[in-house]
Amino acid sequence: MRTASGATLDFGRLVLLVLLVGASWYFWYSPVLWPVKVLVVMMHESGHAIATLLVGGSVDRVHLQLNEGGSCFSRLPPGVFNRIMVSSAGYLGSAVAGALLMLATFRFRLGRAVMGAASVWLGVMGFFYAGDLFTLAFCLGMAVAMGLGARFLPSGVVDALNLFLAAFTALYVVFDLRDDLWNSAVRAQSDAAILASETWVPSIVWAALWTLLSVALLGVSAYWALHAKPQGGGVRMPPVTRARRV
């Protein structure tokens, strides 16, 4: 399939992404995937932390939990807008991370750079914001593993790991939204409940808004990532023929 810009759907990438999402779903409850789930939780909490810094606040500490929970304690300047930004940045931050992973690895072929950047991110979060020994050990351990992987693993293995992480993150975001925001008992203790108490907008409205934005972001990024640009950066034109003089 070719778009108006000349980009074509790469069916090989599409099949690979579907397989990776299917494998993540099938092995969802396997203990082997526990570190990846905690890593996505760290993306969620990092979203809160980054938004806090962007609005001029300060991050006290971030906690990860063995049961895949997490929390970010921060100090915000007064204002409803700041609270909306920071509270929304958790679920949306995870979606942004999944979208960037897909685009950087599929579209721009930056697999090794992505893994290296992830190593730096985890190192910074561990050194500066870890609020307990488990969070510190997890962040620094994953930072070392990703740093070594970016440096020594073959490019094909790096790309495969990044693609798996992108697919898993996208699936985790969808499951997280489903379990946290559309389960009324859980939603009462989620970021949506915090915003509901601050803005008088019902938590179900925040849940719907974050779900729509996250799914749209992941869908658009997947579309871009799965459509290859034509070689040479432009649309290939048919050859010009000259009329034969008789």
Side-chain angles (χ1 to χ4, degrees):
M1 179 186 298
R2 184 180 295 274
T3 65
S5 63
T8 56
L9 176 62
D10 189 323
F11 284 99
R13 295 181 186 181
L14 176 60
V15 170
L16 179 58
L17 185 61
V18 170
L19 288 175
L20 289 173
V21 170
S24 300
W25 196 332
Y26 184 80
F27 294 104
W28 187 256
Y29 295 105
S30 170
V32 176
L33 294 183
W34 174 83
V36 191
K37 292 181 178 180
V38 178
L39 184 63
V40 180
V41 173
M42 192 60 193
M43 295 179 188
H44 180 110
E45 303 307 332
S46 295
H48 289 308
I50 293 171
T52 297
L53 298 175
L54 288 177
V55 300
S58 60
V59 178
D60 289 340
R61 60 194 183 276
V62 172
H63 291 281
L64 299 175
Q65 299 171 2
L66 287 167
N67 65 353
E68 302 166 27
S71 56
C72 176
F73 295 89
S74 57
R75 304 170 192 268
L76 300 179
V80 175
F81 174 78
N82 294 333
R83 293 192 289 273
I84 291 175
M85 286 288 293
V86 173
S87 296
S88 300
Y91 295 106
L92 296 181
S94 300
V96 168
L100 290 177
L101 279 168
M102 277 192 285
L103 289 172
T105 306
F106 264 135
R107 182 81 171 185
F108 300 110
R109 306 294 187 183
L110 297 175
R112 201 173 294 277
V114 168
M115 188 169 285
S119 174
V120 174
W121 156 60
L122 288 166
V124 169
M125 294 302 295
F127 274 119
F128 292 101
Y129 301 117
D132 57 82
L133 185 59
F134 170 71
T135 303
L136 177 64
F138 180 85
C139 288
L140 296 187
M142 291 296 288
V144 170
M146 288 192 169
L148 292 174
R151 177 65 179 85
F152 295 109
L153 288 177
S155 296
V157 176
V158 171
D159 287 345
L161 289 174
N162 284 336
L163 293 177
F164 172 75
L165 185 57
F168 187 90
T169 301
L171 185 64
Y172 194 99
V173 167
V174 174
F175 281 7
D176 208 21
L177 290 165
R178 180 200 65 183
D179 295 340
D180 287 5
L181 300 183
W182 295 102
N183 181 323
S184 59
V186 179
R187 187 173 65 246
Q189 304 175 11
S190 70
D191 296 331
I194 295 174
L195 275 186
S197 66
E198 296 282 351
T199 63
W200 301 100
V201 176
S203 60
I204 189 68
V205 175
W206 290 112
L209 178 61
W210 292 343
T211 300
L212 289 174
L213 288 175
S214 297
V215 171
L217 179 62
L218 290 169
V220 170
S221 63
Y223 178 85
W224 284 346
L226 295 173
H227 283 76
K229 293 181 178 179
Q231 297 296 323
V235 178
R236 188 174 182 180
M237 301 299 292
V240 176
T241 58
R242 292 180 178 273
R244 185 177 179 183
R245 182 176 298 175
V246 295

